[in-house]
Coordinates of all heavy atoms in Angstrom, one line a residue:
Chain C
N123 N 153.1 161.2 182.0 CA 153.9 162.4 181.6 C 152.9 163.4 181.0 O 152.0 163.1 180.4 CB 154.9 162.1 180.5 CG 155.8 160.9 180.9 OD1 155.4 159.8 181.1 ND2 157.1 161.2 180.9
D124 N 153.3 164.7 181.2 CA 152.6 165.8 180.5 C 153.5 166.2 179.3 O 154.7 165.8 179.2 CB 152.3 166.9 181.4 CG 151.5 166.5 182.6 OD1 150.8 165.5 182.5 OD2 151.6 167.2 183.6
N125 N 153.0 167.2 178.6 CA 153.8 167.8 177.5 C 154.5 166.8 176.6 O 155.7 167.0 176.3 CB 154.9 168.8 178.2 CG 154.2 169.8 179.0 OD1 153.1 170.2 178.8 ND2 154.9 170.3 180.0
V126 N 153.8 165.9 176.2 CA 154.3 164.9 175.3 C 153.8 165.1 173.9 O 152.6 165.6 173.7 CB 153.9 163.5 175.7 CG1 154.3 162.4 174.8 CG2 154.5 163.2 177.1
L127 N 154.6 164.8 172.8 CA 154.1 164.9 171.5 C 153.4 163.5 171.2 O 154.0 162.5 171.3 CB 155.2 165.1 170.5 CG 155.0 164.9 169.0 CD1 154.0 165.9 168.5 CD2 156.3 164.9 168.2
L128 N 152.2 163.6 170.8 CA 151.5 162.3 170.4 C 151.5 162.2 168.9 O 151.0 163.0 168.2 CB 150.0 162.4 170.9 CG 149.1 161.2 170.4 CD1 149.6 159.9 170.9 CD2 147.7 161.5 170.9
I129 N 152.0 161.0 168.5 CA 152.1 160.7 167.0 C 151.1 159.6 166.8 O 151.2 158.5 167.4 CB 153.5 160.2 166.6 CG1 154.5 161.2 167.0 CG2 153.5 159.9 165.1 CD1 156.0 160.7 166.9
T130 N 150.1 159.8 166.0 CA 149.0 158.8 165.8 C 148.5 158.7 164.4 O 148.5 159.7 163.7 CB 147.9 159.0 166.9 OG1 147.0 158.0 166.8 CG2 147.2 160.3 166.7
G131 N 147.9 157.6 164.1 CA 147.2 157.4 162.8 C 145.7 157.4 163.1 O 144.9 157.1 162.2
L132 N 145.3 157.7 164.3 CA 143.9 157.7 164.6 C 143.4 159.1 164.7 O 143.8 159.9 165.6 CB 143.6 157.0 166.0 CG 142.1 156.9 166.3 CD1 141.6 155.6 165.7 CD2 141.9 156.9 167.8
A133 N 142.6 159.5 163.7 CA 142.2 160.9 163.6 C 140.7 161.0 163.8 O 139.9 160.8 162.9 CB 142.6 161.5 162.3
N134 N 140.3 161.1 165.1 CA 138.8 161.4 165.3 C 138.7 162.2 166.5 O 139.7 162.7 167.1 CB 138.0 160.0 165.4 CG 138.5 159.2 166.6 OD1 138.9 159.7 167.6 ND2 138.4 157.9 166.5
M135 N 137.5 162.6 166.9 CA 137.3 163.5 168.0 C 137.9 162.9 169.3 O 138.3 163.7 170.2 CB 135.8 163.7 168.2 CG 135.1 164.6 167.2 SD 135.7 166.3 167.3 CE 134.7 166.9 168.7
Q136 N 137.9 161.6 169.4 CA 138.4 161.0 170.7 C 139.9 161.2 170.8 O 140.4 161.2 171.9 CB 138.0 159.5 170.8 CG 136.5 159.3 170.9 CD 135.8 160.3 171.7 OE1 136.2 160.5 172.9 NE2 134.8 161.0 171.2
T137 N 140.6 161.3 169.7 CA 142.0 161.6 169.8 C 142.3 163.0 170.5 O 143.1 163.1 171.3 CB 142.6 161.7 168.3 OG1 142.2 160.6 167.6 CG2 144.2 161.7 168.4
I138 N 141.5 164.0 170.1 CA 141.6 165.3 170.7 C 141.2 165.3 172.1 O 141.8 165.9 173.0 CB 140.8 166.3 169.9 CG1 140.9 166.1 168.4 CG2 141.1 167.8 170.3 CD1 142.2 166.6 167.8
R139 N 140.1 164.6 172.4 CA 139.6 164.5 173.8 C 140.6 163.8 174.7 O 140.8 164.3 175.8 CB 138.3 163.7 173.8 CG 137.0 164.4 173.3 CD 136.6 165.5 174.3 NE 135.3 166.0 173.9 CZ 134.9 167.3 174.2 NH1 135.8 168.1 174.8 NH2 133.8 167.7 173.8
T140 N 141.2 162.8 174.2 CA 142.2 162.0 174.9 C 143.4 163.0 175.3 O 143.9 163.0 176.4 CB 142.7 160.8 174.2 OG1 141.6 159.9 174.0 CG2 143.8 160.1 174.9
A141 N 143.8 163.7 174.3 CA 144.9 164.6 174.5 C 144.5 165.7 175.5 O 145.3 166.0 176.4 CB 145.3 165.3 173.2
E142 N 143.3 166.2 175.4 CA 142.8 167.2 176.4 C 142.9 166.6 177.8 O 143.4 167.3 178.7 CB 141.4 167.6 176.0 CG 140.8 168.6 177.0 CD 139.3 168.8 176.8 OE1 138.7 168.1 175.9 OE2 138.7 169.6 177.6
M143 N 142.4 165.4 178.0 CA 142.3 164.8 179.4 C 143.7 164.5 179.9 O 144.0 164.5 181.1 CB 141.5 163.5 179.4 CG 140.1 163.7 178.9 SD 139.3 165.0 179.8 CE 138.0 165.4 178.6
S144 N 144.6 164.1 179.0 CA 146.0 163.7 179.4 C 147.0 164.9 179.4 O 148.2 164.6 179.6 CB 146.5 162.7 178.4 OG 145.6 161.7 178.2
D145 N 146.5 166.1 179.3 CA 147.4 167.2 179.2 C 148.5 167.1 178.1 O 149.7 167.4 178.4 CB 148.1 167.5 180.6 CG 147.0 167.9 181.6 OD1 146.0 168.6 181.2 OD2 147.2 167.6 182.8
I146 N 148.1 166.6 177.0 CA 149.0 166.5 175.9 C 148.7 167.7 175.0 O 147.6 167.9 174.6 CB 148.8 165.2 175.1 CG1 149.4 164.0 175.8 CG2 149.3 165.3 173.6 CD1 149.0 162.7 175.2
N147 N 149.8 168.5 174.7 CA 149.4 169.7 173.9 C 150.0 169.8 172.5 O 150.0 170.9 171.9 CB 149.7 171.0 174.7 CG 150.9 170.8 175.6 OD1 151.7 169.9 175.3 ND2 151.0 171.5 176.7
C148 N 150.4 168.7 172.0 CA 150.8 168.6 170.6 C 150.6 167.3 170.0 O 150.9 166.2 170.5 CB 152.3 169.0 170.6 SG 152.9 169.4 169.0
I149 N 149.9 167.3 168.8 CA 149.5 166.0 168.2 C 149.9 166.1 166.7 O 149.7 167.1 166.0 CB 148.0 165.8 168.2 CG1 147.4 165.8 169.6 CG2 147.6 164.5 167.5 CD1 145.8 165.8 169.6
I150 N 150.5 165.0 166.2 CA 150.7 164.9 164.8 C 149.9 163.7 164.2 O 150.0 162.6 164.7 CB 152.2 164.5 164.4 CG1 153.1 165.7 164.9 CG2 152.4 164.3 162.9 CD1 154.5 165.4 164.6
F151 N 149.0 164.0 163.3 CA 148.3 162.9 162.6 C 149.3 162.4 161.4 O 149.6 163.2 160.5 CB 147.0 163.4 162.0 CG 146.0 163.7 163.0 CD1 145.1 164.7 162.9 CD2 145.8 162.8 164.1 CE1 144.1 165.0 163.8 CE2 144.9 163.1 165.1 CZ 144.0 164.2 164.9
A152 N 149.7 161.2 161.5 CA 150.5 160.6 160.4 C 149.6 159.9 159.4 O 148.3 160.0 159.5 CB 151.5 159.7 161.0
R153 N 150.2 159.1 158.5 CA 149.4 158.3 157.5 C 148.5 159.1 156.7 O 147.4 158.7 156.2 CB 148.5 157.3 158.2 CG 149.2 156.0 158.5 CD 148.2 155.0 159.2 NE 148.9 154.3 160.2 CZ 148.4 154.0 161.4 NH1 147.2 154.3 161.7 NH2 149.2 153.4 162.3
N154 N 148.8 160.4 156.5 CA 148.0 161.3 155.7 C 146.5 161.4 156.2 O 145.6 161.7 155.4 CB 148.0 160.8 154.3 CG 147.9 161.9 153.3 OD1 148.1 163.1 153.6 ND2 147.6 161.6 152.0
K155 N 146.3 161.2 157.5 CA 145.0 161.4 158.1 C 144.7 162.8 158.2 O 145.5 163.7 158.5 CB 145.0 160.7 159.5 CG 145.1 159.2 159.5 CD 143.9 158.6 159.0 CE 144.1 157.1 158.7 NZ 143.1 156.5 157.9
K156 N 143.4 163.1 157.9 CA 143.0 164.5 157.9 C 142.1 164.9 159.1 O 141.2 164.1 159.5 CB 142.2 164.8 156.6 CG 143.0 164.6 155.3 CD 144.1 165.6 155.2 CE 144.9 165.3 153.9 NZ 146.3 165.8 154.0

Side-chain angles (χ1 to χ4, degrees):
Chain C
N123 307 59
D124 302 337
N125 302 332
V126 173
L127 166 68
L128 172 62
I129 306 166
T130 185
L132 186 85
N134 64 31
M135 286 293 278
Q136 296 320 308
T137 314
I138 316 285
R139 285 289 187 208
T140 297
E142 181 192 358
M143 301 310 156
S144 311
D145 294 329
I146 285 174
N147 31 26
C148 195
I149 305 174
I150 296 178
F151 289 142
R153 273 182 219 141
N154 214 13
K155 292 288 169 193
K156 301 292 179 204

